Amino acid sequence: MTTTTTTTVTTDPLLLDTAAALAEHLAPRRAEGPVVLVPTMGALHDGHADLMDHARTLAGPRGTVVVTVFVNPLQFGEGEDLDRYPRTLDADLATCAAHGVDAVLAPAVDEVYPGGRPQVTVHPGPLGDVLEGASRPGHFAGVLTVVAKLFGLVRPDVAVFGEKDFQQQTLVRRMSLDLALGVDVVTVPTRREPDGLALSSRNRYLDPDQRAAALALSTALRAAADAGHHGADAARRAALAVLDAEPGVELDYLALVAPDLSDAPGAGDARLLVAARVGTTRLIDTLPLTLGGTDDPTDHPTGQPTPEQETP
Ligand code: AMP
């Protein structure tokens, strides 16, 4: 009888802290296969690991996966958590090693912004002023500026983003198209805890009570998705019922929109986005949903459910 032992070989990714070192590393590799970028702010979790796995698949065995770890001061507003944002580079490197990453660029702030705040920044346009942009003025200018800079430093063929930051991936995709940056922007679904809470680097700020309260965000989104066949109002009401019942959640916004962030359609594909404060921690989440053409029975002028609505 023969026994086989399977060993997983992980190779440590190359840790680089300058753009010049990264350029040197990438130069001979560009002809071999695609360069795939995963931009992050570190404090990596399994959601980030999903992005890396997807990047590895897209790059193929001959391509190169680059993860950037950079807490971008430009995207934090006054009084936000820039100073307390978790920095866990050693653990991040281990995660990158376990997920087939070739190189990690973890630059200092003055490597990315050598002259201090850049004079020329990216203006996000009208989509940058709504939802997260309305609550966090200047946030998307900071995000798009650093993403444009990282695109310039890494010159990737593909960049991988999480669906969880839905407005962010929409804006980055638009920027790449509108400014012809030539980077294919790919989105990966949100990784959740078994109970539904979306993984976030900020979850580590939550104490056990806050962690329990935070669950209302994903529960509310799911309730809305379940009610979506009754129409937009029913979906909104279902989500608000969950959020209103949780005193530990201070709602910032609950927005039902079309998948391109324009006004929600009467029926068909839509997207629900939620942002809320739990204690001092601001969390966001999102789910796609399908809206039915008919609205909730209680919205019906006669108060009578239609036959379609009676069907469970
Ligand atoms: P961050 O480091 O939090 O700025 O996130 C880096 C990337 O990881 C972004 O594209 C996020 O959308 C993505 N991301 C964050 N949380 C998750 C998650 N739970 N599942 C999948 N992707 C995520």
Side-chain angles (χ1 to χ4, degrees), residues 39-42 44-45 47-48 50-51 75 85 160-165 168 188-192 198-201:
T40 80
M41 298 205 298
L44 301 180
H45 51 62
H48 298 117
D50 287 349
L51 270 54
Q75 70 190 68
Y85 199 85
V160 183
F161 289 83
E163 185 181 296
K164 174 169 171 286
D165 296 270
Q168 169 174 282
V188 168
T190 302
R191 171 71 83 108
R192 299 179 179 280
L199 264 56
S200 165
S201 304

Side-chain angles (χ1 to χ4, degrees), residues 18-31:
T18 66
L22 179 69
E24 194 181 322
H25 176 74
L26 290 178
R29 288 169 174 80
R30 292 192 189 277

Side-chain angles (χ1 to χ4, degrees), residues 6-202:
T6 315
T7 358
T8 310
V9 180
T10 56
T11 319
D12 283 347
L14 196 61
L15 174 62
L16 303 162
D17 60 4
T18 66
L22 179 69
E24 194 181 322
H25 176 74
L26 290 178
R29 288 169 174 80
R30 292 192 189 277
E32 298 294 315
V35 173
V36 184
L37 168 66
V38 182
T40 80
M41 298 205 298
L44 301 180
H45 51 62
D46 287 348
H48 298 117
D50 287 349
L51 270 54
M52 294 174 205
D53 291 344
H54 195 62
R56 185 72 266 163
T57 304
L58 293 172
R62 301 178 65 83
T64 307
V65 175
V66 179
V67 168
T68 54
V69 174
F70 181 61
V71 183
N72 172 37
L74 250 50
Q75 70 190 68
F76 287 79
E78 195 102 339
E80 291 189 355
D81 57 344
L82 173 62
D83 292 335
R84 74 161 176 160
Y85 199 85
R87 281 138 170 110
T88 60
L89 188 57
D90 288 343
D92 293 348
L93 289 173
T95 304
C96 291
H99 292 274
V101 172
D102 297 299
V104 176
L105 177 68
V109 173
D110 58 7
E111 176 68 18
V112 178
Y113 304 123
R117 285 183 88 82
Q119 290 193 25
V120 176
T121 56
V122 179
H123 187 272
L127 267 189
D129 291 334
V130 297
L131 303 168
E132 282 301 281
S135 296
R136 306 180 67 186
H139 173 65
F140 286 118
V143 168
L144 294 186
T145 299
V146 80
V147 171
K149 180 103 195 202
L150 294 173
F151 282 6
L153 294 175
V154 180
R155 294 196 291 114
D157 299 288
V158 184
V160 183
F161 289 83
E163 185 181 296
K164 174 169 171 286
D165 296 270
F166 191 79
Q167 190 177 5
Q168 169 174 282
Q169 61 85 36
T170 305
L171 278 161
V172 170
R173 183 173 287 115
R174 266 256 66 99
M175 174 176 75
S176 190
L177 285 171
D178 287 353
L179 304 183
L181 300 182
V183 178
D184 189 8
V185 175
V186 170
T187 303
V188 168
T190 302
R191 171 71 83 108
R192 299 179 179 280
E193 301 282 6
D195 62 5
L197 181 72
L199 264 56
S200 165
S201 304
R202 291 186 167 99

